[in-house]
Amino acid sequence: MSFFQINRKYLKQVDALMLILLLAISIISVMTIYSTTRPIMSSAIHPNYYLKQLVWVLIGFIVLFIVMVYDYLWLREAGYAIYGIGIFLLVLVLVMGKSGLGAQRWLDLKIISFQPSEIFRLILVIGVSKYLSSVKSPLDKRSFLLSLLIFGIIPFILIIKQPHLGTGIILFTTFFFLALSKKIEKKLLLILIAIALVVVPLGGKTIWKHLKDYQKNRILAFINPEIDPKGIGYQIEQSKITIGSGMAFGRGFLKGTQGPLKFLPEKHTDFVFSVFAEEWGFAGAMMLFGFYLIFFIRGFDTAIKAKDEFGKYLASGLTFMLFLYFLINIGMTLGMMPVVGVPIPFMSYGGTSLISNFIIAGILINIRMRRLVMVY
């Protein structure tokens, strides 16, 4: 296998539709961040979040093109080594990570700081895909328990200790999605269902005891937002007010008030969709959902058409994970899910998250470009 295999034949297969979707969502992202962070007074200085996001978007597209040039099969060859580096980074962030906002999620390299957990979500899918494409189907008890320990339990514990419960749950769920897509022996599947029925209620109590106070408050606010509308339920209530005030066609670009007046916390990160819905209304939200829906359908279609088993697991796992991020973020902003600090892909402010999402998109395009090539 040649490491560098880009030529005109592959370039003709570039997924232009996915590139257009990414460009459209990125433009919406920068515009919404610009609007939501604009100062109330015209004489005040506008925070440069939107400029930073624009720079990250440009870097993201450059990274995407680099990623799609190299045949993704090299990821299969280096899968376990990459996974080992990912686990090392998660351990490192617990030992010497930078703390902020009650969490220890960042590694400070002096020039830049980044969240290893944001990169690890990509690494996890690479590692699991490598493993599943190298074992027989369906998974027997030994294969499943080994993969559950290495790809499920160990990273889950390391990530929730940061703490980053939302990402931990998404990664654990993604592992199960991929394992079930490989198929599990029927007897083993029945045992797992029986164990889950017994362990989940007991495990829930144990997990609750180890949650931080702010995490418990988020769950309580989700169950009953009116329990303390000016306290723990404030974020959810303000998000619903922001979205609802958009009505059918929205207030219009730069006419939203909840963000600039600072009623809505985390308005340019986890709750950026709420601000978008306020300015563009139900019609704009449906248009945005349409963009994401086409993206996810395209991702799963890429998995179906991939030229090899590794590519199928890689494309389906990455697409499923992005779908979970989208689903949970929208659920958070609508008050239908607890607030667990999950960004909406390609739209929330944040360099590490954005770049890792563009890498994922680059891998999906890479797999689709080479779907017609025979593998020996």
Side-chain angles (χ1 to χ4, degrees), residues 180-318:
L180 291 175
S181 67
K182 180 70 176 181
K183 295 182 181 177
I184 299 174
E185 289 180 346
K186 289 183 179 178
K187 184 179 177 181
L188 176 60
L189 183 61
L190 292 174
I191 293 173
L192 289 173
I193 293 173
I195 292 174
L197 292 174
V198 175
V199 170
V200 168
L202 297 176
K205 292 181 180 178
T206 304
I207 292 175
W208 178 263
K209 289 180 182 177
H210 288 84
L211 290 178
K212 303 283 185 182
D213 287 340
Y214 76 90
Q215 291 174 317
K216 292 179 180 178
N217 288 337
R218 285 174 171 180
I219 295 174
L220 291 173
F222 164 69
I223 296 171
N224 183 10
E226 297 178 356
I227 189 173
D228 185 8
K230 294 183 179 179
I232 61 176
Y234 180 80
Q235 205 168 18
I236 292 177
E237 285 301 300
Q238 288 301 317
S239 177
K240 290 193 289 188
I241 290 171
T242 305
I243 294 172
S245 62
M247 303 295 284
F249 298 104
R251 293 175 181 269
F253 181 55
L254 298 180
K255 293 181 180 178
T257 58
Q258 293 293 96
L261 293 176
K262 300 182 180 178
F263 287 118
L264 180 65
E266 309 296 338
K267 55 189 181 293
H268 60 296
T269 54
D270 298 346
F271 287 86
V272 69
F273 167 74
S274 307
V275 177
F276 174 80
E278 182 188 21
E279 297 194 334
W280 299 92
F282 180 78
M286 290 300 102
M287 178 194 70
L288 183 64
F289 287 175
F291 290 163
Y292 278 103
L293 178 63
I294 296 171
F295 180 91
F296 297 135
I297 291 175
R298 201 72 169 174
F300 285 120
D301 183 64
T302 297
I304 293 170
K305 295 176 178 174
K307 66 182 180 183
D308 67 309
E309 200 172 10
F310 174 73
K312 292 181 186 296
Y313 288 120
L314 191 59
S316 61
L318 293 175

Side-chain angles (χ1 to χ4, degrees), residues 29-285:
S29 168
V30 175
M31 288 175 62
T32 308
I33 291 172
Y34 175 86
S35 177
T36 194
T37 57
R38 70 186 190 278
I40 302 171
M41 305 295 292
S42 59
S43 59
I45 298 175
H46 195 144
N48 63 355
Y49 292 113
Y50 69 97
L51 286 177
K52 289 182 178 178
Q53 185 78 352
L54 180 59
V55 170
W56 285 120
V57 167
L58 295 175
I59 295 174
F61 271 105
I62 293 171
V63 172
L64 179 148
F65 282 107
I66 293 173
V67 169
M68 76 181 200
V69 163
Y70 296 98
D71 193 323
Y72 68 90
L73 288 179
W74 79 270
L75 293 172
R76 185 178 66 185
E77 304 302 320
Y80 292 152
I82 293 172
Y83 188 78
I85 293 171
I87 290 293
F88 173 74
L89 290 175
L90 291 182
V91 173
L92 197 64
V93 79
L94 292 178
V95 175
M96 54 181 293
K98 186 173 71 174
S99 299
L101 301 174
Q104 188 170 330
R105 301 173 184 169
W106 295 267
L107 280 180
D108 187 0
L109 302 181
K110 302 304 178 185
I111 300 174
I112 61 169
S113 60
F114 70 101
Q115 292 188 55
S117 59
E118 290 292 339
I119 299 173
F120 186 79
R121 56 200 178 102
L122 165 64
I123 291 176
L124 175 84
V125 178
I126 293 172
V128 177
S129 299
K130 159 85 173 179
Y131 179 75
L132 294 180
S133 61
S134 62
V135 297
K136 294 180 180 179
S137 180
L139 290 177
D140 58 23
K141 184 170 67 176
R142 180 180 177 280
S143 299
F144 176 77
L145 292 178
L146 180 64
S147 59
L148 175 63
L149 174 65
I150 296 175
F151 300 115
I153 295 174
I154 291 176
F156 179 75
I157 292 174
L158 291 174
I159 289 174
I160 63 170
K161 284 184 72 68
Q162 294 184 6
H164 205 169
L165 183 61
T167 296
I169 292 173
I170 288 175
L171 295 187
F172 200 70
T173 306
T174 302
F175 162 75
F176 265 96
F177 168 79
L178 286 171
L180 291 175
S181 67
K182 180 70 176 181
K183 295 182 181 177
I184 299 174
E185 289 180 346
K186 289 183 179 178
K187 184 179 177 181
L188 176 60
L189 183 61
L190 292 174
I191 293 173
L192 289 173
I193 293 173
I195 292 174
L197 292 174
V198 175
V199 170
V200 168
L202 297 176
K205 292 181 180 178
T206 304
I207 292 175
W208 178 263
K209 289 180 182 177
H210 288 84
L211 290 178
K212 303 283 185 182
D213 287 340
Y214 76 90
Q215 291 174 317
K216 292 179 180 178
N217 288 337
R218 285 174 171 180
I219 295 174
L220 291 173
F222 164 69
I223 296 171
N224 183 10
E226 297 178 356
I227 189 173
D228 185 8
K230 294 183 179 179
I232 61 176
Y234 180 80
Q235 205 168 18
I236 292 177
E237 285 301 300
Q238 288 301 317
S239 177
K240 290 193 289 188
I241 290 171
T242 305
I243 294 172
S245 62
M247 303 295 284
F249 298 104
R251 293 175 181 269
F253 181 55
L254 298 180
K255 293 181 180 178
T257 58
Q258 293 293 96
L261 293 176
K262 300 182 180 178
F263 287 118
L264 180 65
E266 309 296 338
K267 55 189 181 293
H268 60 296
T269 54
D270 298 346
F271 287 86
V272 69
F273 167 74
S274 307
V275 177
F276 174 80
E278 182 188 21
E279 297 194 334
W280 299 92
F282 180 78

Side-chain angles (χ1 to χ4, degrees), residues 4-19 64-72 298-299 301-303 305-308 311 315 361-375:
F4 186 79
Q5 293 190 353
I6 190 68
N7 58 35
R8 290 184 178 180
K9 179 179 66 177
Y10 294 129
L11 289 177
K12 290 179 181 177
Q13 300 296 327
V14 170
D15 193 345
L17 177 59
M18 190 167 282
L19 290 176
L64 179 148
F65 282 107
I66 293 173
V67 169
M68 76 181 200
V69 163
Y70 296 98
D71 193 323
Y72 68 90
R298 201 72 169 174
D301 183 64
T302 297
K305 295 176 178 174
K307 66 182 180 183
D308 67 309
I363 292 174
L364 291 175
I365 294 173
N366 190 323
I367 296 171
R368 193 173 188 86
M369 284 168 61
R370 294 170 170 81
R371 67 189 185 278
L372 302 178
V373 179
M374 296 297 292
V375 177

